[in-house]
Amino acid sequence: MSKTWLDLWVGLFVVAGIGALLFLALKVGSMSSVRMADSYQVSAHFDNIGGLKVRAPVKSAGVVVGRVSAISFDDKTYEAEVVLSLDKRYAFPKDTSAAILTSGLLGEQYVGLEAGADSVKLANGDRLSLTQSAVVLENLIGQFLFSKAQEGAPNETAQ
Amino acid sequence: MIKPLQAIARLGHHALASMSRIGLATRFFLATLLRSGVAFRRFNLTIRETYFAGVLSLIIILVSGLFVGMVLGLQGYETLQTYGSESALGVLVALSLVRELGPVVAALLFASRAGSAITAEIGLMKATEQLAAMEMMAVDPIARVVAPRFWAGVISMPLLAALFSAMGIFGGYLVGVVLIGVDEGSFWSQMQAQVDFQEDILNGVIKSVVFGVAVTAIALFEGYDAPPTAEGVSRATTRTVVTSSLAILALDFVLTAFMFRGVG
Amino acid sequence: MDNLVEIKNVTFGYGARPVLKGINLTARRGQVVAIMGSSGCGKTTLLRLIGGQIKPNSGSVRVAGQEVSELDTDGLYLLRRKMGMLFQFGALFTDMSVFDNIAFQLREHTQLPEELIRDLVLMKLHAVGLRGAAHLMPSELSGGMARRVALARSIALEPMLVMYDEPFAGLDPISLGVVGNLIRRLTDTLGLTSIVVTHDVQESLKIVDYVYFISAGAIEAEGTAEEMRASGLPFVHQFVHGEPDGPVPFHYPARPYAEDLRLEQ
């Protein structure tokens, strides 16, 4: 094997390998956590976040506009504090509300933003005051049973 | 001596022997790192070894990657369709490959393809006194022979793992989208939404670099340490494959535990 | 300084097993010195002591006035550039062509332009008669040719001392004569000093100036080739004439034969 051929093969190998890495980085993965610099952070308090996880998407009108960057528990209000990183390209009114929603019946949970009407826009470090907690299936079923039981109780006495 | 005492003595002997081997291997590894200057100053030495370690492993890596991806596509589809979430097939294939199978399987293949070749080559060079001849010519064999091979392995491994993953994702796409008919849009978009560059891809690359260091270092040490006989070299070659495979799997567990603990 | 290599009272052992027990040996400049003895008597160990690959337990090994065991790595490597060594089976680098094998040291140790290296390599190859084999790989060479290439490689840097470890082992009679003549001729024309370790008595007695006989780690006899041929010492006589039994017994030490076979009872 002459030296030129050897160099050529190794060159091709390296180019192909780097190409594969780029393919993985650009086509397969999302660069979200790399582009954190181009985002601004807002926080929101929820009574219950259900199964929400860090890195879950933040959507508005179904479009991904950011990601959940941190989740913590506030032991003063006994609420969950969720920090959202929103894409700098999208500005939201100050009275925007956040809700924890589920994609499909059993799908992953995400944060949905419903834009308000305020003329002042959200800025870095702001806090969303209007929030709607996750729907926890057990609670829902519990409520349903409870209301059924309440419905049934007066009937019984009437008979 | 009484039987149990003998057994304990033998255990002690084995323990001491393996400890001294580990010490020897560590010294060898450090010497390789310290005398790596030549491998970079005369980079064509390293390029040459990259051809033998990397380019010649390409075929097996690409073909295996394709098949592993195709199997993942097939099996993943079977499982996912039970829950009606075939659209997550892309995520399943990509995450399995990028996080685990890509680095691990590529490293296992690399150990048996390139690692064994390195051990056999170095062992034979030792058995035929080529290393001793080099030393008598005032050329340090660790700097001239060992270090370029080491760096070639460290460079090749992540590239091979990336090619394996890319090929596997293509295989999954082939089976899932082209053959079975999963929606192409959701295949790619769900994948992109779920696979994170830093958490998944970068960590996968870090894994494969660590595996590359481990496999190449083990292969070089086994070759350098092999008894200078035909039997010694063949045993060392076998030991390279066994030891580095175990090392890959053990390191994978440790790295996974560190990297992905906080996520998910 | 007439003596290039001076070995005084050297002892050496691998672990508890003594290999050399008080060796005295000198090689004068321009001489071909042979170290002879039966297999496993410590001849190769002696070469490795001179090359500084191992250190003696006691005694001194001086090459060109320098105490080899006291040199640090850099000093040792500097000294080795002035030494050539021909290994038992040539030890050619199997992944390089004949040309690259001989150019190896020139490329490693000098900054010479490639043109000049080419000329030097071809000159060395011409000296051993293998200029036409420059492009071959070591696997394509016969045993005798490989030995000659290795010889050309060991003189690539024009050393002052060349050591030969069993240069005649496994060669056919023609190659044997060729290699023997080359050793003598190169020593004379290049002004080398040669130390030949061998057990091939007839071939080496034709070319050497001085002979040391080693047996069981000690010098048994020494002298010029003529003196050795005429020697009356039983060991030398047995060795030179290749007699199967003598001071070096045919049998490995054992219990009496009859006793081992349990014939006495």
Side-chain angles (χ1 to χ4, degrees):
Chain A
M1 170 89 36
S2 81
K3 199 168 145 19
T4 348
W5 273 106
L6 201 137
D7 286 352
L8 185 69
W9 271 109
V10 173
L12 284 177
F13 167 60
V14 172
V15 167
I18 290 173
L21 275 175
L22 283 178
F23 167 75
L24 292 180
L26 300 176
K27 184 84 182 151
V28 174
S30 55
M31 303 283 279
S32 60
S33 53
V34 178
R35 282 197 273 114
M36 276 304 184
D38 301 345
S39 64
Y40 61 102
Q41 320 267 320
V42 296
S43 66
H45 279 70
F46 293 93
D47 292 333
N48 191 331
I49 59 164
L52 189 73
K53 293 186 177 74
V54 175
R55 289 211 295 124
V58 179
K59 296 183 185 180
S60 186
V63 178
V64 177
V65 294
R67 300 223 167 245
V68 174
S69 58
I71 296 174
S72 57
F73 182 68
D74 185 342
D75 63 358
K76 294 193 181 64
T77 58
Y78 303 110
E79 285 177 327
E81 187 182 2
V82 175
V83 180
L84 313 174
S85 308
L86 302 178
D87 197 320
K88 268 244 162 70
R89 288 177 297 172
Y90 307 119
F92 288 93
K94 204 142 188 152
D95 59 347
T96 295
S97 66
I100 296 178
L101 305 167
T102 309
S103 54
L105 191 58
L106 299 165
E108 56 158 4
Q109 286 184 305
Y110 66 95
V111 178
L113 294 184
E114 193 76 39
D118 207 319
S119 56
V120 185
K121 301 297 183 190
L122 276 176
N124 196 26
D126 278 356
R127 189 177 147 182
L128 300 174
S129 44
L130 291 166
T131 61
Q132 182 194 325
S133 288
V135 178
V136 179
L137 211 57
E138 293 92 315
N139 293 352
L140 207 65
I141 294 169
Q143 273 170 12
F144 175 72
L145 289 178
F146 187 67
S147 64
K148 271 285 177 212
Q150 272 188 333
E151 264 172 43
N155 288 351
E156 244 170 60
T157 46
Q159 275 173 355
Chain B
M1 213 193 286
I2 321 157
K3 260 244 155 85
L5 274 183
Q6 243 171 357
I8 292 173
R10 204 176 310 138
L11 188 73
H13 175 78
H14 280 301
L16 284 178
S18 48
M19 284 307 285
S20 79
R21 237 177 101 74
I22 290 174
L24 220 62
T26 313
R27 259 178 51 189
F28 176 79
F29 180 61
L30 291 178
T32 308
L33 291 186
L34 285 176
R35 303 188 209 163
S36 288
V38 173
F40 291 100
R41 265 201 313 278
R42 291 167 58 190
F43 203 65
N44 59 335
L45 290 176
T46 307
I47 288 178
R48 195 185 133 82
E49 299 309 330
T50 308
Y51 176 82
F52 291 110
V55 176
L56 294 186
S57 304
L58 264 182
I59 301 248
I60 186 171
I61 290 283
L62 291 179
V63 173
S64 313
L66 185 68
F67 279 115
V68 166
M70 283 161 74
V71 169
L72 271 179
L74 214 57
Q75 290 283 17
Y77 178 78
E78 291 294 325
T79 312
L80 288 174
Q81 71 155 348
T82 327
Y83 304 101
S85 36
E86 304 94 285
S87 56
L89 185 65
V91 186
L92 182 124
V93 170
L95 275 187
S96 326
L97 278 166
V98 170
R99 279 186 174 189
E100 286 296 329
L101 291 174
V104 171
V105 179
L108 290 174
L109 292 170
F110 183 75
S112 43
R113 170 67 187 76
S116 60
I118 289 175
T119 304
E121 192 190 11
I122 303 273
L124 273 176
M125 285 181 86
K126 190 186 171 196
T128 55
E129 293 188 301
Q130 292 180 46
L131 296 182
M134 206 171 271
E135 225 169 293
M136 278 307 295
M137 293 181 201
V139 176
D140 180 8
I142 295 211
R144 180 63 170 68
V145 174
V146 172
R149 282 168 174 76
F150 175 73
W151 290 107
V154 174
I155 293 168
S156 299
M157 192 63 258
L159 298 178
L160 289 172
L163 283 165
F164 185 95
S165 295
M167 206 63 192
I169 288 165
F170 175 68
Y173 168 84
L174 221 58
V175 167
V177 176
V178 179
L179 222 63
I180 300 178
V182 173
D183 179 55
E184 180 167 356
S186 60
F187 183 90
W188 290 113
S189 64
Q190 288 236 15
M191 192 192 290
Q192 282 182 10
Q194 295 281 320
V195 180
D196 187 73
F197 178 76
Q198 204 169 346
E199 291 291 345
D200 301 315
I201 294 171
L202 214 60
N203 278 345
V205 173
I206 291 172
K207 270 188 180 181
S208 62
V209 172
V210 173
F211 295 161
V213 170
V215 172
T216 324
I218 289 171
L220 287 166
F221 175 70
E222 288 291 356
Y224 208 79
D225 192 49
T229 59
E231 195 208 3
V233 174
S234 83
R235 272 170 178 242
T237 310
T238 312
R239 247 200 331 262
T240 292
V241 178
V242 173
T243 315
S244 44
S245 301
L246 289 178
I248 290 164
L249 296 174
L251 280 173
D252 182 48
F253 172 74
V254 174
L255 289 173
T256 309
F258 271 105
M259 286 171 172
F260 300 118
R261 203 175 40 185
V263 185
Chain C
M1 188 75 220
D2 202 17
N3 292 338
L4 185 64
V5 179
E6 281 184 321
I7 297 178
K8 285 203 182 103
N9 291 321
V10 161
T11 62
F12 180 79
Y14 290 108
R17 192 169 61 90
V19 179
L20 300 176
K21 308 166 192 163
I23 296 269
N24 287 294
L25 186 149
T26 53
R28 293 162 64 180
R29 281 183 202 273
Q31 273 191 330
V32 178
V33 175
I35 302 171
M36 290 193 214
S38 40
S39 312
C41 69
K43 292 171 298 184
T44 306
T45 308
L46 210 50
L47 289 192
R48 295 180 58 182
L49 281 168
I50 299 172
Q53 286 171 295
I54 48 177
K55 289 187 162 116
N57 294 357
S58 68
S60 93
V61 178
R62 300 178 82 86
V63 176
Q66 285 178 294
E67 182 66 45
V68 175
S69 59
E70 282 167 9
L71 292 172
D72 57 358
T73 313
D74 290 340
L76 192 61
Y77 271 23
L78 218 57
L79 181 63
R80 282 182 184 168
R81 287 192 196 190
K82 289 181 255 168
M83 290 184 191
M85 181 145 175
L86 178 67
F87 282 82
Q88 189 156 357
F89 293 104
L92 294 175
F93 301 129
T94 40
D95 57 341
M96 299 178 196
S97 69
V98 166
F99 183 94
D100 291 333
N101 258 286
I102 292 163
F104 183 78
Q105 268 178 300
L106 294 166
R107 287 180 182 150
E108 293 289 327
H109 292 316
T110 68
Q111 303 292 324
L112 295 177
E114 196 60 25
E115 290 286 299
L116 194 57
I117 288 180
R118 184 178 166 277
D119 292 350
L120 284 172
V121 170
L122 289 181
M123 278 160 64
K124 304 292 174 203
L125 273 173
H126 187 75
V128 297
L130 290 175
R131 196 162 34 85
H135 60 281
L136 295 180
M137 293 303 282
S139 55
E140 297 170 290
L141 302 175
S142 72
M145 283 160 83
R147 213 66 62 85
R148 279 149 73 189
V149 172
L151 189 53
R153 187 179 68 176
S154 59
I155 56 165
L157 279 188
E158 315 254 318
M160 56 183 185
L161 170 70
V162 181
M163 295 180 275
Y164 310 81
D165 188 1
E166 304 283 6
F168 308 118
L171 292 184
D172 61 86
I174 298 176
S175 310
L176 212 105
V178 169
V179 171
N181 275 331
L182 273 175
I183 292 175
R184 182 76 248 180
R185 216 177 66 214
L186 292 173
T187 307
D188 293 342
T189 54
L190 299 176
L192 306 171
T193 306
S194 292
I195 298 180
V196 184
V197 155
T198 180
H199 49 234
D200 193 308
V201 184
Q202 299 310 332
E203 192 55 43
S204 42
L205 283 185
K206 282 186 220 159
I207 57 163
V208 301
D209 299 304
Y210 205 78
V211 184
Y212 288 88
F213 275 99
I214 298 185
S215 174
I219 304 253
E220 199 77 18
E222 57 179 288
T224 61
E226 276 314 306
E227 284 167 12
M228 286 301 110
R229 278 209 189 89
S231 172
L233 283 168
F235 174 80
V236 178
H237 191 268
Q238 183 194 358
F239 209 94
V240 171
H241 298 280
E243 288 158 357
D245 212 352
V248 180
F250 171 66
H251 286 293
Y252 191 80
R255 288 184 293 172
Y257 194 33
E259 190 186 308
D260 245 5
L261 293 181
R262 302 183 188 184
L263 294 178
E264 294 173 350
Q265 262 148 20

